[in-house]
Amino acid sequence: MAILVDRNTRLCTSGITGREGTFHTLRNRDYGTQVVAGVTPGKGGQDVDGIPVFNTFHEAVAEQGANTAMIFVPPRFAADSILEAEDAGIELVIAITEGIPAHDELRVYNILRKNGRARLIGPNCPGILSPGKANVGIIPAAFFREGNVGVVSRSGTLTYQIGNELAQSGFGNSSIVGIGGDPVPGSDFIDVIALFERDPETELIVMCGEIGGDAEERAAEYIAAHVSKPVVAYIAGFTAPPGKTMGHAGAIVSGSKGTAAAKAQALEARGVKVGRTPTQVAELAMATLGAAST
Amino acid sequence: MAILVDRNTRLCTSGITGREGTFHTLRNRDYGTQVVAGVTPGKGGQDVDGIPVFNTFHEAVAEQGANTAMIFVPPRFAADSILEAEDAGIELVIAITEGIPAHDELRVYNILRKNGRARLIGPNCPGILSPGKANVGIIPAAFFREGNVGVVSRSGTLTYQIGNELAQSGFGNSSIVGIGGDPVPGSDFIDVIALFERDPETELIVMCGEIGGDAEERAAEYIAAHVSKPVVAYIAGFTAPPGKTMGHAGAIVSGSKGTAAAKAQALEARGVKVGRTPTQVAELAMATLGAAST
Amino acid sequence: MDLLEYQGKQLFARHGVPVPAGQPARTVQEAVAAAEQIGYPCAVKAQVQIGGRGKLGGIRIARDAAEARAHAEAILGMDIRGLTVYELWIEGASEIAAEYYASVVFDRSAKAPLVMLSTKGGMDIEQVADESPEAIARLHVDPLLGFQDFHGRRLAYEAGVDDDVVRPVGAMLAKLYEAFVAEEATLVEVNPLIITPDRQVKALDAKVTLDGNALYRHPDNAQLRDRSAEDPQEQMAKERGLTYVKLDGNIGILGNGAGLVMSTLDVVKGAGGEPANFLDAGGGSKAEAIAQAVEVILSNQSVEAVLFNIFGGITRCDEVARGLIEAFEQIKPTVPFVVRLDGTNDVEGRELLAQAALPNVYTESTMDAAAARVVELAAGS
Amino acid sequence: MDLLEYQGKQLFARHGVPVPAGQPARTVQEAVAAAEQIGYPCAVKAQVQIGGRGKLGGIRIARDAAEARAHAEAILGMDIRGLTVYELWIEGASEIAAEYYASVVFDRSAKAPLVMLSTKGGMDIEQVADESPEAIARLHVDPLLGFQDFHGRRLAYEAGVDDDVVRPVGAMLAKLYEAFVAEEATLVEVNPLIITPDRQVKALDAKVTLDGNALYRHPDNAQLRDRSAEDPQEQMAKERGLTYVKLDGNIGILGNGAGLVMSTLDVVKGAGGEPANFLDAGGGSKAEAIAQAVEVILSNQSVEAVLFNIFGGITRCDEVARGLIEAFEQIKPTVPFVVRLDGTNDVEGRELLAQAALPNVYTESTMDAAAARVVELAAGS
């Protein structure tokens, strides 16, 4: 088991003919992901290293049975592409694209939620890796192996850092899900943690948060009410000054809101251990799973 | 039992301080309907013959527990009022107003459907009467008494005509629901027939259709697949010429579409008896219920 | 409200839909002046709301001022399937490499706008729909989301438009949709949508239906008129706030409520009669409205008998009776009237009629009997 | 992107939000000319993005040209909490009967725009929110439906605005919402929104934040600048496409990925150091980008040591090493560098650095050790 992507994933990449789109799609296929199609308007009928390219998602779904989309188009085309994928019946849309206008994200989020047909991960995220099963996105799979720790994160490289610390402590991963650092992510911690809670392979959940918004605080409430599995957290940005956007569009402390300290406090108040450094997270994971297995 | 309105109805009229709004609201109260509030922006704090008036639906719901809205405001304010009622948590909105712009209806219909919180009956409809229990709208209650025939209709006076014929043949009604003659009714035959099917008091369903659209054809399909109770139908407009709007905004034969003959055929092909005159409908009802009760 | 071609094109232009440059004209002089300004060759087009104008001589190409004058003279005042041509539209003639069809329709059944595109343009689209439905790409748009770029691409690819115009055709569909929503239309149709030899995309015709209920939000549109489609009786009824549709028979009909009136027409026809009109006096009609309605009905010279079919709910039968008596005092009609009054205050109403003892007024207590009686009287007159 | 008051007001005016007439000025001469045209009394307002300008002397009322000149001279070039005043906004002075507060905020948590209205205008709204939260009416708007009339009424009644301005205040909220959506803002705030003695509703201040990611759709907005808020290092980084935030310490930081860089700042601070900046070199950075990033970091004169913290995924550690070597060739930095390379091609990267034998470059294999080392070096420099 794993969540979201696995051996049943049938991937279609939007923007497959772009440089990055081609590179990562083929890398995902090399990992073992079933890549069944690509979409680039105007290039229908071509192929990318044997992967058929279509003009529309509807054709990719009808002819190749695609069920998962990876969005690699530039920001100005991304919202349209996500909506097209959903309209075509794609169930899981993973948007890697960074820099999508916030109002586009708002519109996409709300239409997907009201229709209730498709799940969106990202945008501005590294994708999802289920080690040994499928990799959709840009997560460097070499550092991770199969195991029982589920990771969900607002950040990419930070996830690799933490994953690597976990790996060095002997842990593997069920799935690693990057939800992205944008103001309106398609899925948030709660959505993914709920999936890990139901996933039999996952025995520990690690969530990597950062400053900005209140996704971590809401996750804390949710965990207290609905999650039986142990959760270990990390929050980046304890020392971030207010009013400055720290790289991610969503990573900003506004006034007294969104500080790392408040998030850590909210989590700890509900029994979630929070590591102060990536190394500490690995230590907490070891302590917890040791305790959990007795 | 009855459907949609009954002794639990707690009515709030939007536009209660208008001439028609006052007249029909008081008439509904005289019938026995629980009228708990009215809404007219700017007149909050006043009352209409003892019925408290509020500036917003939210106040009417919070302070009086209103659960049903009747919309009596002029067309240009009607969409806003329906959306406000829904936003305030009203579960059933009955819109009497005639002449609402079609795009307003489209927007209202789609937002209500996606939100899934409130049911809209109408607009441009005479309302709903559950004899002996509650009357919301402009249906003249004097002609109807409690009984086992559910009536659903796109037309007002035609319903009274048919109801009267039924009454003279000894039938009473569970509920009489006017869905209205506009292009985008909030509820259609199928929605109401499904409620009658589940209503233990209803033993026969009478549907009064008219030219235009394909609501009757779709109802025929639905009845064949999902309805166990007998259904008798009437269709007005057999002799209507194409291209002419016959009073109701939705009553128009466009090209070969929307003719009464096609509707009657669709219904009869699926076992629904169709009376050619209101008198025939009463005769069919008698024949059917006689047969049904043996 | 149906717009004339040129009204539709002017509306399109406001929303960035490319149309050929043109000018309207109501006289030969205006037509020639317009042609001179636009240049030759130009098209002189009859402005009437009827298909197949071209085949009936309503669209002609002028190569010079003399031809423009001759065409304008020929077309103005022409009768095209019963409609008189009062206006022309003069536009630069377009070269055509391909003819497509595009439309946005208010789809009541799906409760969503329906966008259609076909490469079989310039033909009767209903015929195309019947004979080769697969030649029309169709797509419903979620009205809360609006028309997206992918909708345009999908329609263009499905319809099989030429690869090099996928983008501009998609863009035109987006603008037609925008016009449809912004102007609150129930139909926006372009047939043909042309591709010129230099690969421009243009609307060569325009058929637009606006929602009459929304005109208060569009005061400019509310001013648009089409004299050729105006019927004097229907105008008269409209001014009095009555819902009236003229029909071909000899029996005038008045009822309260659209459904009941439609039903009355059916029953009259079933009894062997031919209705002369549909007239819904509405709910709660007062005597004065009834009197005015009688005037509208009788302004149609074909009427040989009149049927009043009233089922009183909000409408009170005594008010209807009073209106009828008033109408008799004012108009002194000579044709027979059959009156069926049922429902609220029906006894009082019938009593009033009995006291007034109007000549040629007969009362009946059921709809069926009233219909039979009026048919009999109309046949005898 | 934060707009200056006058830029926000000009944006408001485009969407029908009523604002006092005014003109921007960059010189004393322009300011006096504007005042003469607008008439007296008028307000001379410093254009800087900081609250409490008024109390610090940044807003003054001029009754004649001499006063206008004196105020302009006083305010231009003034330092207001660290920001230099380069621009003024001269507008007609408004009479005030009541001061309200209105805003539309991009609420990330609710994933919907949040509209707020309060009759406690003219004050620090965060303070109002803390002390009397019930004084602020709040309402989320479904972005697919948009702002409806009933939203405006509900907010106005809940906030308790005067009865006679319920309608115009609601209408202003609708226009602010329209501006928020049309211009793709993340914040639109009016404080105070004033009611004049003759019951007009006006925006007396304007605070607008636009979404930088959407500026390509708003070329006019993309031209707007605020010289007072520009930091030279941040400008330099922006031109090179780097994500750089200047901080107060002495340790330069470079990492790949926003989360990892934030984490690095925390770890450095935890080790007792003070970061001089946040710099995300991004994913897949090539040598040239790394060299440019080093240049940006070192352009801050406070930097006494630099930490490279790279976890290679898409980014290849050998590319990072090459970039650092390139930077040393070009800039010949004198401050010490601590480099932690892990992940993709880390062995190759470390090898390249060893071969280059750059002066003052130290490698560490873990983040914690690297942080400890750079803090030690910065303290010793």
Side-chain angles (χ1 to χ4, degrees):
Chain A
M1 291 284 289
I3 67 168
L4 297 167
V5 302
D6 56 28
R7 294 199 179 85
N8 298 318
T9 295
R10 295 178 65 80
L11 185 65
C12 174
T13 300
S14 171
I16 192 172
T17 56
R19 199 173 56 90
E20 294 286 306
T22 300
F23 178 75
H24 291 287
T25 301
L26 296 180
R27 215 156 153 259
N28 288 168
R29 186 176 66 175
D30 289 346
Y31 187 76
T33 312
Q34 283 193 74
V35 181
V36 299
V39 168
T40 299
K43 302 207 172 166
Q46 302 183 8
D47 75 295
V48 168
D49 200 24
I51 302 165
V53 178
F54 298 93
N55 286 321
T56 68
F57 262 109
H58 298 77
E59 292 168 282
V61 170
E63 301 194 17
Q64 294 292 113
N67 60 15
T68 301
M70 174 159 69
I71 308 295
F72 247 113
V73 296
R76 67 180 67 195
F77 305 119
D80 188 60
S81 193
I82 296 168
L83 292 170
E84 183 185 1
E86 188 239 14
D87 191 72
I90 294 281
E91 293 154 21
L92 174 64
V93 182
I94 298 162
I96 311 298
T97 307
E98 186 181 341
I100 299 178
H103 282 259
D104 277 3
E105 292 186 3
L106 195 62
R107 210 163 42 95
V108 166
Y109 175 86
N110 278 279
I111 201 82
L112 262 58
R113 185 180 59 84
K114 292 212 183 192
N115 287 344
R117 294 190 301 243
R119 183 191 296 271
L120 173 65
I121 300 285
N124 189 14
C125 83
I128 307 171
L129 167 66
S130 294
K133 300 178 187 79
N135 189 16
V136 177
I138 64 174
I139 297 178
F143 303 113
F144 305 97
R145 58 185 184 75
E146 261 183 282
N148 58 359
V149 179
V151 177
V152 54
S153 174
R154 280 171 72 182
S155 169
T157 43
L158 180 58
T159 312
Y160 319 154
Q161 170 76 31
I162 288 172
N164 197 241
E165 306 256 10
L166 289 169
Q168 283 171 1
S169 306
F171 294 108
N173 301 102
S174 50
S175 294
I176 296 161
V177 182
I179 56 173
D182 270 7
V184 188
S187 300
D188 62 14
F189 285 120
I190 292 172
D191 300 314
V192 178
I193 287 171
L195 295 175
F196 278 132
E197 171 72 9
R198 291 203 299 271
D199 173 42
E201 195 184 349
T202 302
E203 292 177 32
L204 169 71
I205 302 168
V206 172
M207 62 175 275
C208 303
E210 63 188 27
I211 56 165
D214 64 354
E216 291 80 3
E217 287 87 337
R218 285 183 290 119
E221 301 280 353
Y222 181 84
I223 290 164
H226 303 287
V227 178
S228 64
K229 295 179 181 177
V231 181
V232 169
Y234 176 75
I235 308 290
F238 273 87
T239 62
K244 295 280 190 181
T245 301
M246 303 303 268
H248 285 163
I252 180 168
V253 173
S254 324
S256 59
K257 295 189 196 78
T259 65
K263 290 170 188 298
Q265 196 181 9
L267 286 160
E268 284 172 343
R270 282 159 192 85
V272 176
K273 294 205 176 73
V274 182
R276 283 299 182 275
T277 64
T279 318
Q280 270 189 23
V281 172
E283 290 164 6
L284 289 170
M286 268 185 101
T288 309
L289 271 193
S293 59
T294 56
Chain B
M1 289 283 291
I3 66 168
L4 297 167
V5 303
D6 55 26
R7 295 200 178 85
N8 298 317
T9 294
R10 296 179 64 81
L11 186 66
C12 173
T13 300
S14 170
I16 191 171
T17 55
R19 199 174 57 89
E20 295 285 306
T22 299
F23 178 76
H24 291 286
T25 300
L26 295 179
R27 215 156 154 259
N28 288 169
R29 187 178 64 176
D30 290 345
Y31 188 75
T33 312
Q34 285 192 73
V35 181
V36 299
V39 169
T40 299
K43 302 206 171 166
Q46 302 183 8
D47 74 294
V48 169
D49 200 25
I51 302 166
V53 178
F54 298 93
N55 287 319
T56 68
F57 263 109
H58 297 77
E59 292 168 285
V61 170
E63 301 194 17
Q64 293 292 111
N67 60 15
T68 302
M70 175 159 69
I71 308 295
F72 247 112
V73 295
R76 67 182 66 197
F77 305 119
D80 188 60
S81 193
I82 296 168
L83 291 171
E84 183 186 1
E86 187 237 18
D87 191 71
I90 294 281
E91 292 154 22
L92 174 64
V93 183
I94 298 162
I96 311 299
T97 307
E98 186 181 342
I100 300 179
H103 282 259
D104 277 3
E105 292 186 2
L106 195 63
R107 210 162 43 94
V108 166
Y109 175 87
N110 278 279
I111 200 84
L112 263 59
R113 185 180 58 84
K114 291 212 184 194
N115 287 344
R117 294 191 302 244
R119 182 191 297 273
L120 173 66
I121 299 284
N124 189 15
C125 84
I128 307 171
L129 167 66
S130 294
K133 301 179 186 78
N135 189 15
V136 177
I138 64 174
I139 297 177
F143 302 113
F144 305 96
R145 56 183 185 78
E146 259 183 285
N148 58 358
V149 179
V151 177
V152 53
S153 175
R154 279 171 71 181
S155 169
T157 44
L158 180 58
T159 312
Y160 319 154
Q161 171 74 31
I162 288 173
N164 198 240
E165 307 257 10
L166 288 169
Q168 284 172 2
S169 305
F171 294 108
N173 301 102
S174 49
S175 295
I176 296 161
V177 183
I179 55 173
D182 270 7
V184 188
S187 300
D188 62 14
F189 286 120
I190 293 173
D191 301 314
V192 179
I193 288 171
L195 294 174
F196 279 132
E197 170 73 9
R198 292 203 298 273
D199 173 43
E201 196 183 345
T202 302
E203 291 176 32
L204 170 71
I205 302 167
V206 173
M207 62 175 274
C208 304
E210 63 188 27
I211 55 163
D214 64 353
E216 293 80 4
E217 287 87 336
R218 285 184 290 119
E221 301 279 353
Y222 180 85
I223 290 164
H226 304 287
V227 178
S228 63
K229 296 180 181 176
V231 181
V232 170
Y234 176 75
I235 309 289
F238 273 87
T239 62
K244 295 280 190 181
T245 300
M246 302 304 267
H248 285 163
I252 180 168
V253 174
S254 325
S256 59
K257 295 190 195 75
T259 66
K263 291 171 187 298
Q265 196 181 8
L267 286 159
E268 285 172 342
R270 282 163 191 83
V272 177
K273 295 205 175 74
V274 182
R276 283 299 182 273
T277 65
T279 319
Q280 269 190 23
V281 171
E283 290 164 8
L284 289 171
M286 266 186 104
T288 309
L289 269 193
S293 59
T294 57
Chain C
M1 186 175 77
D2 296 321
L3 300 192
L4 290 166
E5 173 198 3
Y6 84 91
Q7 296 166 337
K9 280 182 172 168
Q10 290 176 337
L11 181 147
F12 282 0
R14 287 208 298 275
H15 293 280
V17 178
V19 290
Q23 284 179 28
R26 284 162 202 262
T27 64
V28 173
Q29 214 170 339
E30 279 177 21
V32 176
E36 287 287 304
Q37 205 183 317
I38 288 157
Y40 304 96
C42 67
V44 180
K45 306 175 85 173
Q47 297 300 291
V48 284
Q49 286 163 22
I50 207 89
R53 279 175 301 174
K55 284 175 207 147
L56 298 166
I59 301 178
R60 305 184 195 193
I61 300 296
R63 263 163 299 259
D64 54 35
E67 285 192 9
R69 173 175 302 277
H71 294 340
E73 278 169 356
I75 301 175
L76 272 173
M78 207 176 149
D79 179 292
I80 300 185
R81 293 199 186 140
L83 297 176
T84 307
V85 181
Y86 295 107
E87 294 183 85
L88 300 173
W89 173 245
I90 319 294
E91 74 179 13
S94 297
E95 286 186 88
I96 297 175
E99 290 185 297
Y100 297 161
Y101 166 94
S103 66
V104 187
V105 181
F106 194 100
D107 185 342
R108 296 154 47 178
S109 174
K111 277 118 173 162
L114 170 64
V115 186
M116 292 190 272
L117 179 68
S118 173
T119 55
K120 305 219 179 222
M123 302 164 60
D124 176 7
I125 198 68
E126 296 220 358
Q127 197 183 326
V128 176
D130 285 346
E131 291 169 10
S132 41
E134 76 293 344
I136 304 174
R138 296 154 196 270
L139 194 143
H140 285 104
V141 176
D142 178 343
L144 300 180
L145 179 61
F147 193 87
Q148 305 295 309
D149 288 348
F150 81 81
H151 290 131
R153 287 198 303 274
R154 198 180 163 205
L155 282 163
Y157 284 119
E158 277 195 19
V161 310
D162 293 339
D163 272 353
D164 67 329
V165 292
V166 164
R167 230 171 247 275
V169 167
M172 183 188 262
L173 293 176
K175 284 173 188 147
L176 289 172
Y177 185 88
E178 184 199 310
F180 175 84
V181 172
E183 306 287 345
E184 303 195 59
T186 53
L187 170 70
V188 161
E189 188 179 70
V190 179
N191 190 15
L193 180 169
I194 60 160
I195 312 295
T196 62
D198 60 344
R199 314 310 282 168
Q200 302 277 310
V201 178
K202 271 191 212 167
L204 202 58
D205 198 357
K207 195 170 164 190
V208 174
T209 304
L210 299 175
D211 176 13
N213 285 340
L215 286 177
Y216 73 88
R217 285 195 282 233
H218 308 276
D220 289 352
N221 291 344
Q223 302 304 316
L224 300 175
R225 290 184 62 198
D226 173 14
R227 277 178 63 201
S228 62
E230 281 169 7
D231 174 88
Q233 267 101 43
E234 293 187 358
Q235 275 301 110
M236 186 180 171
K238 205 172 164 186
E239 282 156 18
R240 292 165 185 203
L242 298 165
T243 308
Y244 174 91
V245 179
K246 195 175 172 179
L247 301 170
D248 295 331
N250 60 347
I251 299 176
I253 307 278
L254 179 149
N256 61 326
L260 184 61
V261 180
M262 262 189 279
S263 177
T264 308
L265 301 183
D266 291 350
V267 171
V268 166
K269 194 122 175 181
E274 288 294 338
N277 67 273
F278 169 105
L279 194 152
D280 175 9
S285 302
K286 295 281 176 242
E288 199 193 327
I290 297 290
Q292 290 193 338
V294 170
E295 206 178 336
V296 169
I297 291 171
L298 295 180
S299 70
N300 176 357
Q301 300 301 322
S302 310
V303 170
E304 295 179 309
V306 176
L307 170 59
F308 266 46
N309 186 21
I310 302 294
F311 193 95
I314 310 176
T315 304
R316 287 162 45 186
C317 291
D318 53 339
E319 282 287 342
V320 175
R322 267 187 214 99
L324 184 59
I325 293 164
E326 213 171 275
F328 265 74
E329 282 168 7
Q330 288 164 16
I331 315 171
K332 306 194 197 320
T334 55
V335 301
F337 276 62
V338 176
V339 180
R340 180 258 182 157
L341 294 177
D342 216 335
T344 309
N345 294 3
D346 50 0
V347 176
E348 293 87 334
R350 285 194 287 263
E351 189 128 326
L352 282 170
L353 286 184
Q355 288 169 359
L358 304 174
N360 276 332
V361 170
Y362 310 86
T363 57
E364 291 287 348
S365 60
T366 71
M367 186 164 157
D368 293 354
R373 185 71 173 269
V374 80
V375 170
E376 192 184 298
L377 289 164
S381 70
Chain D
M1 186 173 79
D2 296 321
L3 299 191
L4 289 166
E5 173 198 3
Y6 84 91
Q7 295 166 337
K9 281 184 171 167
Q10 290 177 339
L11 181 148
F12 281 0
R14 288 207 299 275
H15 294 279
V17 177
V19 290
Q23 284 178 31
R26 284 163 203 263
T27 64
V28 172
Q29 213 171 340
E30 280 177 21
V32 175
E36 287 287 305
Q37 205 183 317
I38 288 158
Y40 303 96
C42 67
V44 179
K45 306 175 85 174
Q47 297 299 291
V48 285
Q49 285 162 22
I50 206 90
R53 279 175 303 174
K55 282 174 208 145
L56 299 167
I59 301 178
R60 304 183 194 195
I61 301 294
R63 265 163 298 259
D64 54 35
E67 285 192 9
R69 172 175 304 277
H71 294 341
E73 278 169 355
I75 300 175
L76 272 173
M78 207 177 152
D79 179 290
I80 301 185
R81 290 197 189 143
L83 297 177
T84 307
V85 180
Y86 295 107
E87 293 183 85
L88 300 173
W89 174 246
I90 319 294
E91 74 179 12
S94 296
E95 286 186 88
I96 298 175
E99 290 185 296
Y100 297 162
Y101 167 93
S103 65
V104 187
V105 180
F106 194 99
D107 186 342
R108 295 154 49 179
S109 175
K111 276 118 171 165
L114 170 64
V115 186
M116 292 190 273
L117 179 68
S118 173
T119 54
K120 304 217 178 227
M123 301 164 62
D124 176 6
I125 197 67
E126 297 220 0
Q127 197 184 327
V128 175
D130 283 347
E131 291 170 9
S132 41
E134 75 295 343
I136 304 174
R138 297 155 197 268
L139 193 144
H140 285 104
V141 176
D142 179 343
L144 300 180
L145 180 61
F147 193 87
Q148 304 296 310
D149 288 348
F150 81 82
H151 290 131
R153 287 198 301 274
R154 196 177 165 209
L155 283 163
Y157 285 118
E158 278 195 18
V161 311
D162 292 341
D163 272 354
D164 67 329
V165 292
V166 164
R167 232 172 247 274
V169 167
M172 182 186 261
L173 292 176
K175 284 173 187 147
L176 289 173
Y177 186 88
E178 184 200 310
F180 175 83
V181 172
E183 306 287 346
E184 304 195 60
T186 53
L187 169 70
V188 160
E189 189 180 72
V190 180
N191 191 13
L193 181 167
I194 61 160
I195 312 296
T196 62
D198 60 345
R199 312 311 281 168
Q200 301 278 310
V201 178
K202 271 190 214 168
L204 202 59
D205 198 357
K207 196 170 163 190
V208 174
T209 305
L210 299 175
D211 176 13
N213 284 340
L215 286 177
Y216 73 89
R217 287 196 281 234
H218 308 276
D220 289 352
N221 291 344
Q223 302 304 318
L224 300 175
R225 289 184 64 198
D226 172 14
R227 277 179 64 201
S228 63
E230 281 167 7
D231 173 89
Q233 266 100 44
E234 292 188 359
Q235 274 302 109
M236 185 177 172
K238 204 174 167 186
E239 282 156 20
R240 293 164 186 202
L242 298 165
T243 309
Y244 173 92
V245 178
K246 195 174 170 181
L247 301 171
D248 294 331
N250 60 344
I251 300 175
I253 307 278
L254 179 149
N256 62 323
L260 183 61
V261 179
M262 261 188 280
S263 177
T264 309
L265 301 183
D266 291 348
V267 171
V268 165
K269 193 119 175 183
E274 288 295 338
N277 67 275
F278 168 105
L279 193 152
D280 175 8
S285 302
K286 296 279 177 242
E288 197 193 329
I290 297 292
Q292 290 193 338
V294 171
E295 207 180 335
V296 169
I297 291 171
L298 294 180
S299 70
N300 175 356
Q301 300 301 323
S302 309
V303 170
E304 295 179 308
V306 177
L307 170 59
F308 265 46
N309 185 21
I310 301 294
F311 194 96
I314 311 176
T315 304
R316 287 161 45 186
C317 292
D318 51 340
E319 282 287 343
V320 174
R322 266 188 216 100
L324 184 59
I325 294 164
E326 213 172 273
F328 266 73
E329 281 167 6
Q330 287 165 16
I331 316 171
K332 305 191 196 320
T334 54
V335 302
F337 276 61
V338 176
V339 181
R340 180 261 183 155
L341 296 177
D342 215 335
T344 309
N345 293 4
D346 49 0
V347 175
E348 292 87 334
R350 284 194 289 262
E351 189 131 324
L352 280 170
L353 287 183
Q355 287 168 358
L358 304 174
N360 276 333
V361 171
Y362 309 87
T363 55
E364 291 287 348
S365 59
T366 72
M367 187 166 156
D368 293 353
R373 185 72 174 271
V374 79
V375 169
E376 190 185 298
L377 287 165
S381 69

